[in-house]
Amino acid sequence: MGEQPIFTTRAHVFQIDPSTKKNWMPASKQAVTVSYFYDSTRNSYRIISVDGAKVIINSTITPNMTFTKTSQKFGQWADSRANTVFGLGFSSEQQLTKFAEKFQEVKEAAKLARDKSQEKIETSSNHSQASSVNGTDDEKASHGPAEAHLKSENEKLKLALTQSASNVKKWEIELQTLRESNARLTAALQESAASVDQWKKQFSICRDENDRLRNKIEELEEQCNEINKEKERNAQLSRRLEALESEIQDKERELKDLRKQGEIIPQLMSECDFVTEKLEASERENQNLEDKVRSLRTDIEESKHRQRHLKMELKNFLEVLDGKIDDLHDFRRGLSKLGTEN
């Protein structure tokens, strides 16, 4: 029947880096077919995988091999004959479990096949020795043409026994070589596992550092936003202060105009004491208002935070000033009436 597939699945194939014995190198760009094959002629089992026209896995299973699950979807085994470590990444944990169970089953079958082969060799060796002893007895008992035939058969059996012993020595040497290769691969796998743990720790440290820097950036952005808001508030206060200063200048110009109007009528001061006293009181009040304005201006320059209080005082000042202006208008009308009467 030849070699036939007995189990087939799909997985991503990897091989250990031969230079570092730590890193995995992808052997296929995508998931490929991975199959167990049984050769009835040689009574052997192999794992074979082909990507296009390239054979990426050709691993004969021996009883010394071990399939190890390193994660929920990844497993690996060492092949001492190929001097490498194969890794398979599955799409689900169930596929990995089935593959591992089949590996153990095939491994046990390979062990049974090896034991049977050794039993056959031992049986053949014992049979050869028995035939050799019988041939010696027959030589002593028989004569003629049968003696030559027995000698020939005895020589053939001795040659087969010698070849069998030589093959046993070769198998022992090969087995020792396989054990040494397996030990080296096991050490490489342990180093790879330790390196993976170290990478995980470094990744965790980098992730924590990244989170800390991200939080620091967010804090700085919040501080920048607060500074921009404070600048905007300062700009608004500056504009408000400029508007108030402009209003004060307008009121000062109005006061100057009122003083000029009062200087035009000095001759009427002697004729109307009551009006003079009233005018002087108004000037004193105006002087007081000027002092208040200077005080308010000083307060504005010293502290921007007192703007609300300054606004209220300015409103009061405007109301008093309007009242005084109305009084001056009344006074002018009164003077005009006195002039017409005189």
PDB file of all heavy atoms in Angstrom, residues 22-36:
ATOM      1  N   LYS A  22      16.647  30.671  19.644  1.00  0.00           N
ATOM      2  CA  LYS A  22      15.660  31.311  20.528  1.00  0.00           C
ATOM      3  C   LYS A  22      14.442  31.829  19.769  1.00  0.00           C
ATOM      4  O   LYS A  22      13.320  31.649  20.212  1.00  0.00           O
ATOM      5  CB  LYS A  22      16.319  32.478  21.278  1.00  0.00           C
ATOM      6  CG  LYS A  22      17.410  32.054  22.238  1.00  0.00           C
ATOM      7  CD  LYS A  22      17.988  33.272  22.944  1.00  0.00           C
ATOM      8  CE  LYS A  22      19.090  32.851  23.923  1.00  0.00           C
ATOM      9  NZ  LYS A  22      19.678  34.028  24.621  1.00  0.00           N
ATOM     10  N   ASN A  23      14.675  32.473  18.634  1.00  0.00           N
ATOM     11  CA  ASN A  23      13.590  33.126  17.908  1.00  0.00           C
ATOM     12  C   ASN A  23      12.922  32.162  16.940  1.00  0.00           C
ATOM     13  O   ASN A  23      13.563  31.273  16.375  1.00  0.00           O
ATOM     14  CB  ASN A  23      14.116  34.346  17.137  1.00  0.00           C
ATOM     15  CG  ASN A  23      14.778  35.342  18.054  1.00  0.00           C
ATOM     16  OD1 ASN A  23      14.335  35.534  19.182  1.00  0.00           O
ATOM     17  ND2 ASN A  23      15.826  35.984  17.583  1.00  0.00           N
ATOM     18  N   TRP A  24      11.618  32.349  16.738  1.00  0.00           N
ATOM     19  CA  TRP A  24      10.868  31.557  15.760  1.00  0.00           C
ATOM     20  C   TRP A  24      10.898  32.263  14.414  1.00  0.00           C
ATOM     21  O   TRP A  24      10.730  33.480  14.336  1.00  0.00           O
ATOM     22  CB  TRP A  24       9.416  31.394  16.218  1.00  0.00           C
ATOM     23  CG  TRP A  24       9.245  30.449  17.376  1.00  0.00           C
ATOM     24  CD1 TRP A  24       8.945  30.765  18.655  1.00  0.00           C
ATOM     25  CD2 TRP A  24       9.349  29.020  17.345  1.00  0.00           C
ATOM     26  NE1 TRP A  24       8.871  29.650  19.429  1.00  0.00           N
ATOM     27  CE2 TRP A  24       9.106  28.549  18.655  1.00  0.00           C
ATOM     28  CE3 TRP A  24       9.636  28.093  16.348  1.00  0.00           C
ATOM     29  CZ2 TRP A  24       9.135  27.203  18.974  1.00  0.00           C
ATOM     30  CZ3 TRP A  24       9.670  26.755  16.673  1.00  0.00           C
ATOM     31  CH2 TRP A  24       9.421  26.308  17.971  1.00  0.00           C
ATOM     32  N   MET A  25      11.078  31.463  13.347  1.00  0.00           N
ATOM     33  CA  MET A  25      11.021  31.984  11.983  1.00  0.00           C
ATOM     34  C   MET A  25       9.848  31.325  11.261  1.00  0.00           C
ATOM     35  O   MET A  25       9.726  30.088  11.273  1.00  0.00           O
ATOM     36  CB  MET A  25      12.327  31.681  11.226  1.00  0.00           C
ATOM     37  CG  MET A  25      13.555  32.307  11.861  1.00  0.00           C
ATOM     38  SD  MET A  25      15.015  32.201  10.792  1.00  0.00           S
ATOM     39  CE  MET A  25      14.963  30.480  10.306  1.00  0.00           C
ATOM     40  N   PRO A  26       8.967  32.111  10.624  1.00  0.00           N
ATOM     41  CA  PRO A  26       7.835  31.508   9.913  1.00  0.00           C
ATOM     42  C   PRO A  26       8.305  30.732   8.692  1.00  0.00           C
ATOM     43  O   PRO A  26       9.080  31.230   7.873  1.00  0.00           O
ATOM     44  CB  PRO A  26       6.976  32.710   9.520  1.00  0.00           C
ATOM     45  CG  PRO A  26       7.914  33.867   9.518  1.00  0.00           C
ATOM     46  CD  PRO A  26       8.942  33.586  10.564  1.00  0.00           C
ATOM     47  N   ALA A  27       7.831  29.490   8.561  1.00  0.00           N
ATOM     48  CA  ALA A  27       8.162  28.676   7.397  1.00  0.00           C
ATOM     49  C   ALA A  27       7.089  28.774   6.324  1.00  0.00           C
ATOM     50  O   ALA A  27       7.307  28.342   5.192  1.00  0.00           O
ATOM     51  CB  ALA A  27       8.347  27.206   7.814  1.00  0.00           C
ATOM     52  N   SER A  28       5.924  29.337   6.679  1.00  0.00           N
ATOM     53  CA  SER A  28       4.833  29.511   5.714  1.00  0.00           C
ATOM     54  C   SER A  28       4.197  30.868   5.947  1.00  0.00           C
ATOM     55  O   SER A  28       4.126  31.355   7.078  1.00  0.00           O
ATOM     56  CB  SER A  28       3.783  28.409   5.861  1.00  0.00           C
ATOM     57  OG  SER A  28       3.187  28.454   7.150  1.00  0.00           O
ATOM     58  N   LYS A  29       3.749  31.487   4.843  1.00  0.00           N
ATOM     59  CA  LYS A  29       3.109  32.789   4.948  1.00  0.00           C
ATOM     60  C   LYS A  29       1.685  32.698   5.438  1.00  0.00           C
ATOM     61  O   LYS A  29       1.122  33.680   5.903  1.00  0.00           O
ATOM     62  CB  LYS A  29       3.139  33.482   3.578  1.00  0.00           C
ATOM     63  CG  LYS A  29       4.557  33.778   3.080  1.00  0.00           C
ATOM     64  CD  LYS A  29       4.519  34.482   1.744  1.00  0.00           C
ATOM     65  CE  LYS A  29       5.938  34.787   1.251  1.00  0.00           C
ATOM     66  NZ  LYS A  29       5.918  35.463  -0.078  1.00  0.00           N
ATOM     67  N   GLN A  30       1.074  31.527   5.326  1.00  0.00           N
ATOM     68  CA  GLN A  30      -0.311  31.328   5.763  1.00  0.00           C
ATOM     69  C   GLN A  30      -0.453  29.901   6.270  1.00  0.00           C
ATOM     70  O   GLN A  30       0.500  29.116   6.250  1.00  0.00           O
ATOM     71  CB  GLN A  30      -1.268  31.590   4.597  1.00  0.00           C
ATOM     72  CG  GLN A  30      -0.987  30.700   3.385  1.00  0.00           C
ATOM     73  CD  GLN A  30      -1.841  31.083   2.193  1.00  0.00           C
ATOM     74  OE1 GLN A  30      -2.647  31.991   2.284  1.00  0.00           O
ATOM     75  NE2 GLN A  30      -1.669  30.391   1.080  1.00  0.00           N
ATOM     76  N   ALA A  31      -1.663  29.607   6.758  1.00  0.00           N
ATOM     77  CA  ALA A  31      -1.908  28.254   7.263  1.00  0.00           C
ATOM     78  C   ALA A  31      -1.822  27.245   6.120  1.00  0.00           C
ATOM     79  O   ALA A  31      -2.365  27.461   5.029  1.00  0.00           O
ATOM     80  CB  ALA A  31      -3.284  28.191   7.929  1.00  0.00           C
ATOM     81  N   VAL A  32      -1.107  26.120   6.366  1.00  0.00           N
ATOM     82  CA  VAL A  32      -0.923  25.075   5.355  1.00  0.00           C
ATOM     83  C   VAL A  32      -1.379  23.740   5.940  1.00  0.00           C
ATOM     84  O   VAL A  32      -1.619  23.609   7.140  1.00  0.00           O
ATOM     85  CB  VAL A  32       0.553  24.995   4.908  1.00  0.00           C
ATOM     86  CG1 VAL A  32       0.976  26.271   4.214  1.00  0.00           C
ATOM     87  CG2 VAL A  32       1.459  24.736   6.112  1.00  0.00           C
ATOM     88  N   THR A  33      -1.473  22.760   5.072  1.00  0.00           N
ATOM     89  CA  THR A  33      -1.886  21.422   5.491  1.00  0.00           C
ATOM     90  C   THR A  33      -0.721  20.691   6.160  1.00  0.00           C
ATOM     91  O   THR A  33       0.385  20.658   5.630  1.00  0.00           O
ATOM     92  CB  THR A  33      -2.385  20.618   4.279  1.00  0.00           C
ATOM     93  OG1 THR A  33      -3.493  21.307   3.695  1.00  0.00           O
ATOM     94  CG2 THR A  33      -2.833  19.234   4.708  1.00  0.00           C
ATOM     95  N   VAL A  34      -0.993  20.095   7.325  1.00  0.00           N
ATOM     96  CA  VAL A  34      -0.008  19.306   8.066  1.00  0.00           C
ATOM     97  C   VAL A  34      -0.620  17.922   8.287  1.00  0.00           C
ATOM     98  O   VAL A  34      -1.720  17.812   8.833  1.00  0.00           O
ATOM     99  CB  VAL A  34       0.353  19.959   9.408  1.00  0.00           C
ATOM    100  CG1 VAL A  34       1.394  19.123  10.139  1.00  0.00           C
ATOM    101  CG2 VAL A  34       0.856  21.382   9.201  1.00  0.00           C
ATOM    102  N   SER A  35       0.101  16.865   7.842  1.00  0.00           N
ATOM    103  CA  SER A  35      -0.482  15.519   7.858  1.00  0.00           C
ATOM    104  C   SER A  35       0.470  14.526   8.513  1.00  0.00           C
ATOM    105  O   SER A  35       1.695  14.663   8.433  1.00  0.00           O
ATOM    106  CB  SER A  35      -0.801  15.049   6.429  1.00  0.00           C
ATOM    107  OG  SER A  35      -1.681  15.938   5.787  1.00  0.00           O
ATOM    108  N   TYR A  36      -0.171  13.499   9.158  1.00  0.00           N
ATOM    109  CA  TYR A  36       0.559  12.317   9.631  1.00  0.00           C
ATOM    110  C   TYR A  36       0.496  11.261   8.528  1.00  0.00           C
ATOM    111  O   TYR A  36      -0.598  10.979   8.003  1.00  0.00           O
ATOM    112  CB  TYR A  36      -0.080  11.755  10.904  1.00  0.00           C
ATOM    113  CG  TYR A  36       0.183  12.555  12.150  1.00  0.00           C
ATOM    114  CD1 TYR A  36      -0.701  13.539  12.556  1.00  0.00           C
ATOM    115  CD2 TYR A  36       1.306  12.320  12.937  1.00  0.00           C
ATOM    116  CE1 TYR A  36      -0.488  14.278  13.709  1.00  0.00           C
ATOM    117  CE2 TYR A  36       1.539  13.044  14.094  1.00  0.00           C
ATOM    118  CZ  TYR A  36       0.627  14.022  14.477  1.00  0.00           C
ATOM    119  OH  TYR A  36       0.854  14.734  15.621  1.00  0.00           O
TER     120      TYR A  36
END
